[in-house]
Amino acid sequence: MFNESLLKLPQDVIEIWADNGYGKMVSRRQGDDDPRSPVLTIPNKAKRARGIYYHVTFHDLQASSFLTLLLNSPHFVAEEIAKVRAAKMDTLELINVGNVKPHVLFIREIARSWRRDYQVRSETDIIQEYVAHYYSEAQSEISGIYQAYFKAPIQYGLHDDQKAGDEFATYLIRKVVKAWMGHYPQLEAMNWLTGNVALDEQLTKVTQLIDTKYAAWDQLYRRAVQVYADIMAKQPQRLFYNDMLLGIAVHACSLHALWATISAYRHYQQAEIVHAFLGADEAVRANDEILRLRRDNPSPKCRFLSQRCLFQRGFERDEVTPIAFLSTGLRGWPR
């Protein structure tokens, strides 16, 4: 409407242009419609001041990152913010962080971009500077975990920002269960991911996407568990648990749950009811691992918040330390 001159605005209004929710300054996808209209090249005919509404975290129940660190790298974000400045769209920047603590890496870099002398740094430099500032030990190992994290996501689309965030697997689980229980011919409103094909082909495509990065998340989870165990001081250990280990677990376990759910459905289609039941149980256990990790959080403040949520779901506490549970909980993984 604005580009067609259908909106008349006062001259002293600051125009605020948004990214797509994934850190790219193009129009947001609306369901299956994803025109990716560019923002930074829109002519400023009225010569108004311009700003941005930019997402470090995004909640759209599809493929976005909300609970965990954005999967588009800090270098990607730094470059995009530099383009915003070059386009003179930085009069006012509204940064949506959803929550502060899990996203400090990106918040810190965006804050740096407000300096006159800001220069885009490499991903390695951004990560190493962040780790050196916050961690007193195991800096090389922790930096390696961060760098591997940004290489682990599923690339679900052709564009560099189309990476599967922490909502991807859980969103799809709900879609699979709904189609299964309702005997629907398709996963509802999933053409943006699979195209307009039948349910069986949709699930095949989803499984193929999972297989591209399942091993990477599994291995990263194991590495993160080991790094967590190797950190000796309590404060950096708690920091690593909440800044990185928990986020990796969300991705690894939810992908495991999605794979198991699809496997259960396949068994059901073949009238292998026992295997279908076991697959569904495996999916529940994979998601329960995330809940267990939140409940056993070594940070008292974070653990208190998690316990308030889990109490309502009727979980009973058993005395399992996070590292003991992680070490034993991974052994049963099928892939």
Side-chain angles (χ1 to χ4, degrees):
M1 291 176 68
F2 182 86
N3 290 341
E4 294 296 325
S5 301
L6 298 176
L7 297 178
K8 303 300 181 183
L9 304 178
Q11 193 61 31
D12 61 348
V13 166
I14 300 174
E15 298 174 14
I16 301 295
W17 294 86
D19 71 328
N20 64 346
Y22 298 82
K24 188 70 175 177
M25 294 302 296
V26 296
S27 60
R28 178 185 168 187
R29 183 181 72 243
Q30 301 289 338
D32 294 333
D33 182 34
D34 190 15
R36 294 183 66 87
S37 303
V39 169
L40 299 178
T41 55
I42 294 174
N44 188 2
K45 298 176 183 178
K47 305 299 181 184
R48 291 192 191 89
R50 286 179 160 182
I52 59 167
Y53 177 50
Y54 193 84
H55 292 81
V56 167
T57 177
F58 187 44
H59 183 54
D60 70 352
L61 290 174
Q62 293 182 328
S64 50
S65 292
F66 186 67
L67 297 172
T68 67
L69 204 60
L70 182 69
L71 287 166
N72 289 310
S73 75
H75 176 70
F76 172 94
V77 169
E79 282 195 318
E80 203 67 8
I81 295 297
K83 293 175 186 175
V84 166
R85 174 177 285 185
K88 301 186 185 305
M89 297 182 75
D90 59 345
T91 301
L92 176 64
E93 294 185 7
L94 304 175
I95 310 300
N96 188 335
V97 299
N99 190 3
V100 174
K101 186 65 183 70
H103 310 292
V104 171
L105 175 65
F106 287 99
I107 298 171
R108 181 182 174 87
E109 192 61 24
I110 288 176
R112 283 176 169 271
S113 75
W114 295 333
R115 298 176 178 176
R116 291 181 184 275
D117 60 349
Y118 178 73
Q119 297 291 326
V120 176
R121 297 178 295 165
S122 70
E123 181 176 323
T124 298
D125 287 344
I126 294 171
I127 290 172
Q128 288 182 347
E129 187 275 334
Y130 173 83
V131 172
H133 181 82
Y134 284 101
Y135 290 93
S136 58
E137 56 179 290
Q139 292 179 356
S140 176
E141 292 82 359
I142 294 171
S143 294
I145 294 291
Y146 272 89
Q147 289 176 334
Y149 178 87
F150 295 112
K151 293 180 175 64
I154 291 171
Q155 185 78 38
Y156 69 83
L158 298 176
H159 302 283
D160 55 357
D161 57 292
Q162 293 179 322
K163 295 181 172 66
D166 59 66
E167 295 189 324
F168 180 81
T170 50
Y171 178 73
L172 278 166
I173 288 171
R174 292 192 294 274
K175 293 292 185 180
V176 173
V177 171
K178 184 175 182 180
W180 184 353
M181 296 293 99
H183 304 284
Y184 296 151
Q186 281 186 318
L187 299 176
E188 186 179 47
M190 290 302 298
N191 290 357
W192 62 271
L193 180 68
T194 65
N196 187 15
V197 296
L199 176 59
D200 187 67
E201 189 174 347
Q202 284 183 308
L203 296 181
T204 297
K205 289 187 175 184
V206 171
T207 302
Q208 289 171 346
L209 283 174
I210 296 172
D211 288 343
T212 62
K213 292 294 184 176
Y214 190 100
W217 281 114
D218 183 22
Q219 293 166 10
L220 183 57
Y221 190 10
R222 296 170 188 269
R223 282 178 59 190
V225 169
Q226 187 59 57
V227 170
Y228 174 79
D230 291 342
I231 299 173
M232 302 303 294
K234 184 174 293 186
Q235 183 56 32
Q237 191 180 56
R238 289 174 175 174
L239 185 63
F240 180 75
Y241 189 99
N242 285 285
D243 277 9
M244 186 49 64
L245 176 57
L246 193 54
I248 292 170
V250 168
H251 285 282
C253 296
S254 61
L255 278 178
H256 180 191
L258 175 58
W259 176 87
T261 301
I262 295 173
S263 177
Y265 174 76
R266 298 287 198 196
H267 284 300
Y268 176 80
Q269 291 295 97
Q270 299 298 320
E272 298 170 347
I273 305 303
V274 172
H275 289 291
F277 175 84
L278 293 174
D281 180 68
E282 184 179 338
V284 171
R285 288 176 180 271
N287 275 329
D288 278 351
E289 184 168 350
I290 301 172
L291 300 177
R292 202 182 269 264
L293 288 168
R294 293 194 180 283
R295 188 197 64 192
D296 293 332
N297 198 307
S299 171
K301 187 179 297 184
C302 295
R303 184 168 64 244
F304 171 74
L305 294 174
S306 296
Q307 285 174 338
R308 288 185 61 186
C309 296
L310 295 177
F311 177 77
Q312 299 177 17
R313 300 191 59 175
F315 284 86
E316 295 181 0
R317 180 173 179 79
D318 50 38
E319 295 303 322
V320 181
T321 62
I323 192 64
F325 174 77
L326 286 165
S327 299
T328 57
L330 283 165
R331 293 176 187 163
W333 283 34
R335 293 158 64 80

